[in-house]
Amino acid sequence: MMSGFSRSYAAGLLAGAALLTTAACGSGSAETAAADGKPEVVAAFYPLQWLTEQVGGSDAHVSGLTAPGVEPHDLELGIQQVSELQKAALTVYIKGVQPAVDDAVDADKSFDAATAVKTLPAGAHEEEGGEEEHGHEVSYDPHLWLDPSRLATVATKLGERLAAADPAHAQGYKDRAAKTASALGALDQELAKGLSTCKTKTLVTAHEAFGYLADRYGLKQVGITLDPESEPSPARISEVAKLAKSEGVTTIFTESLVSPKVAEVLANEVGAKTAVLDPLESKPSGDYLSAMRDNLKTLQTALGCTA
Ligand SMILES: [Zn+2]
């Protein structure tokens, strides 16, 4: 009896050991990183993942925390993801986009892109649900990646940060950061030119994500709601409808991860169409640059731009 107990106890220990091994291998990349010496870098959501991959190149292992197709604001972190964050050499995020990530990052091993650029104040209108209703819990608007010129600045500073974290490959990080910043600079020029002569400057969006784009290119954003998950009040809808009519708005913008219902109701009331404008909170079918160029085309059609 005693030996039977020992055997199963030993088997239990072995199973436990096997589990531990599996767990260690499961998060595998950390071990790979130790083996090939490349730093493990976690990017909180798509635009930052794209940017970090460009700047990190083959010198870093870059992984994304938010799976494609997942709305990032309400991301909840599992035990595995928290441990991935803790093991990473660096986490790239924007404070105010994902409260769960804000809570989990280690200040010494993280890069908050919002500290790299001049931020804009949070949306002008207040949702009547109050603070609890939306994920943006900072005083500034966190959607800064929708201005390529700001994202270029983030690229440069991220390059410096990665160079400091991995000095052996400093030059590579800085070179790729410069190349990325220049690609973003070219995109910025295209947007500036393409949006310079438009019939209307008012951008009515389902989710107030385009403040930086509007600010950079002289447009005016009117967001129906601040939070993609919350339902606007009928009062807010009729307020926006009145404004849209008076400014000659022909298109109400919606986005792929959000139900188009609210935008459709509004478009109906205004006598406008709806079109999809991508806030790039999740991976697009191409990449950041091509999706922004698609956004430019959509905007030019909707706003009646002639350039
Ligand atoms: Zn957002």
Side-chain angles (χ1 to χ4, degrees):
M1 286 324 255
M2 198 55 206
S3 66
F5 171 75
S6 311
R7 260 202 303 277
S8 64
Y9 181 61
L13 276 181
L14 280 173
L19 264 177
L20 282 176
T21 313
T22 315
C25 290
S27 51
S29 31
E31 300 213 325
T32 320
D36 69 8
K38 294 182 184 180
E40 201 62 44
V41 184
V42 174
F45 62 103
Y46 178 73
L48 297 177
Q49 186 181 347
W50 175 81
L51 194 78
T52 308
E53 282 166 358
Q54 303 305 304
V55 177
S58 58
D59 288 328
H61 291 291
V62 178
S63 58
L65 204 54
T66 308
V70 172
E71 212 290 321
H73 288 303
D74 300 318
L75 180 75
E76 285 178 21
L77 298 178
I79 293 166
Q80 167 116 30
Q81 288 168 304
V82 170
S83 111
E84 204 186 313
L85 273 186
Q86 283 162 351
K87 274 190 257 168
L90 189 70
T91 298
V92 182
Y93 76 118
I94 296 176
K95 189 167 195 277
V97 175
Q98 299 164 290
V101 177
D102 299 349
D103 290 343
V105 291
D106 176 340
D108 297 329
K109 296 193 301 171
S110 59
F111 174 79
D112 174 5
T115 62
V117 297
K118 190 173 179 294
T119 52
L120 295 172
H125 77 269
E126 288 295 323
E127 284 296 316
E128 61 266 49
E131 289 289 302
E132 308 286 327
E133 293 284 322
H134 56 79
H136 306 162
E137 283 159 353
V138 288
S139 59
Y140 55 85
D141 176 352
H143 302 86
L144 58 94
W145 62 90
L146 289 160
D147 169 5
S149 71
R150 278 183 170 84
L151 199 58
T153 305
V154 174
T156 306
K157 299 218 171 140
L158 178 59
E160 288 163 7
R161 183 60 192 266
L162 286 168
D166 181 16
H169 302 98
Q171 199 54 50
Y173 293 119
K174 287 182 183 168
D175 289 348
R176 284 184 300 267
K179 206 177 137 202
T180 308
S182 119
L184 289 166
L187 173 67
D188 175 52
Q189 304 253 300
E190 274 174 56
L191 282 153
K193 186 164 180 280
L195 299 172
S196 59
T197 322
C198 307
K199 257 186 228 144
T200 170
K201 296 266 175 191
T202 303
L203 196 64
V204 181
T205 61
H207 153 214
E208 202 160 83
F210 299 90
Y212 287 89
L213 186 137
D215 179 71
R216 178 71 184 164
Y217 306 112
L219 306 174
K220 187 177 123 197
Q221 171 179 241
V222 178
I224 307 169
T225 159
L226 205 56
D227 175 1
E229 310 269 284
S230 78
E231 287 269 321
S233 62
R236 177 66 191 162
I237 293 185
S238 63
E239 182 190 350
V240 176
K242 215 164 104 190
L243 201 141
K245 275 184 212 161
S246 77
E247 309 221 353
V249 166
T250 63
T251 308
I252 308 295
F253 294 108
T254 178
E255 57 190 73
S256 45
L257 292 183
V258 173
S259 157
K261 210 184 88 204
V262 169
E264 279 162 4
V265 167
L266 182 64
N268 234 338
E269 206 165 322
V270 176
K273 292 178 294 195
T274 62
V276 173
L277 199 60
D278 191 348
L280 280 156
E281 294 192 341
S282 184
K283 192 183 180 326
S285 55
D287 68 1
Y288 175 86
L289 297 172
S290 68
M292 284 300 277
R293 290 192 169 101
D294 288 345
N295 278 344
L296 171 59
K297 277 184 222 144
T298 305
L299 286 168
Q300 286 182 302
T301 306
L303 306 178
C305 312
T306 52

